[in-house]
Amino acid sequence: MSIDAAGLWLGRALMAGFAALVVAELIRYFRTALVEPVAASPAPERVPMKRVLLETLAAVVASRVLIVAACAAYCAIQNRSLETFFQDFAGKLTPWDADHYLGLIERWYVAEGDPRLHIVFLPFYPAVCRGLHLATGMSPFAAAEVVSHLALAGCGAAMFRLVEGDSGAQTARRAMLLTLFTPMAYFYSVPYTESLFLLLTLLAVLMARRRRFALAVAFGAMAANTRIVGMAVAIPIFWELLRRDREGREEPLSPGRVALDVLKVLPVGAGLALYLLGNYRLFGNPTQFMIFQREHWSQSFGTLANTFRYCLDNALDYDDFLYRLGVWIPQALLLVAVPTLIAWRRRREPVGDVAYLLVLFYVSFAPTWLLSGPRYLSAAYALYPLLARIPKSRKGFIALWAGECALLIYMSIVGLWHVKVY
């Protein structure tokens, strides 16, 4: 049997297992939201915000220092001077799609020439950067760096507060560290959407947990205007909304009440609707971005089975070995590891978080030509609390965090320095 055929059959087995996991979790999602009694939980003790911010900022700086130090050490091994390193490093901060975002910050969307293809990038991130650029006179790159780093710091603080409410300060601190030292952390310091998207998603879920649903839906709409998969945040918001309506009730919710809650969550889709309207105004077609993705990036929606097939094939046999190390091998491993991790831990995690993670994973990993799976997964907020709750001891967490730091060093060298990660 060829590698391609073996990969397809293994991919089908993966797809079948994932489908069974989705069905089981779908049943649990609605059972816990609609049927099981919900007791009001007491307000947790909170670490003072000043301390949260100080710890978060320290972790942000430490993670950035680690990225630079890893690349500098790699450069030193190659007997290159420090001056040469910093010159080269500055040029590494606009990889791949970064130039497209910088073009949007400077010129916005157009309907002619190659820049017309930039419509495939959603507007919220470049709009925020463009606003800063126009208001301050900063260069597009400087504005993008400010927005990305401020959002990154916000991610750490929001993650801390989110997990603190469920699991206490110690687990919250662990989740914050795992977020800021994720192996794809360097993407949070370049002109990409990851940091802002993750922040908006975290704020949406945090507001839903605090029963401030108007704010949750507003942040969710912003997330959906940053990346299409931002629509998935409606899943944990809806679950929290149903649970709020079940508090103190013995009887299940009526169909009318459930329908009303659906209507309350629907405005999350406003972010996507605005993006589709932008497509229509420029090209007369609300889904023009899909045509460009298919024609210029070979991207359309597929299945996990097919993704696993070509990822395994390329992981074992691809001309550029660094691409195997940075793209194909990590994606093939994640396609197996993430569903396995979810299946193992799902009953210990908030139901809305698990449902969100399943949807985001499938939508992110099913395209017909996936190149950015690890980067997409790095913005899955639910993954970090899940990992933070696994170690039972301090030594166990240190081992987990050290492993993550090692992967960050690895991906920074392969991806940022060699530009072999998308």
Side-chain angles (χ1 to χ4, degrees):
M1 182 181 293
S2 67
I3 294 174
D4 188 71
L8 182 58
W9 280 104
L10 290 172
R12 288 171 177 170
L14 172 68
M15 186 78 174
F18 189 85
L21 181 59
V22 168
V23 170
E25 200 57 33
L26 186 64
I27 294 170
R28 192 166 78 103
Y29 180 92
F30 285 106
R31 186 186 72 245
T32 55
L34 300 176
V35 179
E36 293 181 0
V38 180
S41 56
E45 293 186 9
R46 293 179 182 171
V47 175
M49 193 62 194
K50 181 178 179 180
R51 182 175 173 182
V52 172
L53 290 175
L54 287 174
E55 291 185 11
T56 298
L57 290 173
V60 168
V61 172
S63 65
R64 303 310 96 179
V65 169
L66 179 60
I67 292 169
V68 176
C71 293
Y74 181 73
C75 185
I77 292 173
Q78 297 176 314
N79 295 319
R80 301 175 67 177
S81 69
L82 196 60
E83 180 181 356
T84 301
F85 163 74
F86 282 111
Q87 290 174 350
D88 292 343
F89 188 81
K92 306 292 185 181
L93 296 179
T94 53
W96 301 114
D97 294 339
D99 283 336
H100 303 323
Y101 283 113
L102 294 177
L104 287 173
I105 295 168
E106 185 172 7
R107 298 180 297 272
W108 205 232
Y109 295 98
V110 297
E112 298 177 350
D114 286 343
R116 78 190 189 283
L117 302 176
H118 295 172
I119 193 65
V120 303
F121 302 103
L122 273 71
F124 195 79
Y125 174 76
V128 173
C129 298
R130 181 173 171 81
L132 184 61
H133 160 61
L134 295 176
T136 64
M138 288 183 179
S139 69
F141 175 76
E145 287 292 289
V146 170
V147 170
S148 290
H149 282 94
L150 287 177
L152 178 59
C155 288
M159 179 64 77
F160 192 106
R161 285 301 193 213
L162 180 67
V163 181
E164 180 186 48
D166 294 330
S167 304
Q170 177 176 301
T171 305
R173 188 170 292 108
R174 292 177 175 183
M176 178 267 289
L177 289 172
L178 292 174
T179 302
L180 298 179
F181 285 85
T182 176
M184 306 306 295
Y186 67 87
F187 273 110
Y188 291 73
S189 287
V190 298
Y192 269 70
T193 63
E194 265 61 35
S195 57
L196 185 59
F197 174 74
L198 179 56
L199 174 61
L200 294 169
T201 305
L202 282 166
L203 290 174
V205 179
L206 178 61
M207 291 300 102
R209 296 269 175 89
R210 294 183 176 180
R211 304 302 189 245
R212 301 173 69 178
F213 290 103
L215 281 174
V217 169
F219 284 122
M222 294 177 203
N225 196 243
T226 306
R227 285 173 56 181
I228 289 178
V229 293
M231 285 291 297
V233 79
I235 295 168
I237 295 175
F238 184 54
W239 188 77
E240 295 289 350
L241 186 55
L242 293 173
R243 296 275 289 179
R244 190 278 307 272
D245 290 345
R246 287 277 296 140
E247 285 181 2
R249 294 172 178 262
E250 292 297 330
E251 70 279 2
L253 293 179
S254 67
R257 190 56 182 256
V258 174
L260 181 60
D261 286 345
V262 170
L263 292 176
K264 290 179 180 178
V265 176
L266 277 180
V268 169
L272 178 58
L274 285 173
Y275 172 60
L276 298 179
L277 179 61
N279 275 256
Y280 179 78
R281 290 184 63 184
L282 276 175
F283 301 101
N285 179 7
T287 58
Q288 181 65 36
F289 71 98
M290 297 178 66
I291 296 174
F292 287 155
Q293 285 181 333
R294 183 175 63 252
E295 292 179 350
H296 293 272
W297 284 277
S298 302
Q299 287 284 27
S300 56
F301 201 64
T303 66
L304 289 183
N306 183 55
T307 302
F308 184 80
R309 175 193 61 77
Y310 66 73
C311 283
L312 180 63
D313 190 20
N314 288 322
L316 297 175
D317 183 20
Y318 194 78
D319 292 340
D320 192 321
F321 184 67
L322 283 176
Y323 274 124
R324 290 166 64 184
L325 293 177
V327 175
W328 302 117
I329 292 175
Q331 286 185 170
L333 292 174
L334 288 172
L335 278 161
V336 176
V338 174
T340 302
L341 183 64
I342 297 172
W344 172 40
R345 297 291 302 182
R346 69 185 186 92
R347 293 190 176 276
R348 302 175 180 87
E349 301 300 315
V351 177
D353 287 2
V354 175
Y356 172 87
L357 192 54
L358 286 170
V359 171
L360 184 135
F361 177 77
Y362 190 90
V363 173
S364 298
F365 276 70
T368 51
W369 188 242
L370 179 67
L371 296 173
S372 306
R375 175 167 64 87
Y376 296 156
L377 191 65
S378 75
Y381 81 90
L383 192 61
Y384 302 107
L386 184 155
L387 291 170
R389 294 184 184 107
I390 292 176
K392 299 302 182 184
S393 65
R394 185 169 179 270
K395 289 182 179 179
F397 172 72
I398 291 174
L400 173 64
W401 186 36
E404 187 185 51
C405 290
L407 288 174
L408 172 56
I409 292 171
Y410 170 84
M411 295 304 287
S412 295
I413 293 172
V414 176
L416 183 61
W417 191 255
H418 285 289
V419 201
K420 298 295 185 179
V421 177
Y422 288 89

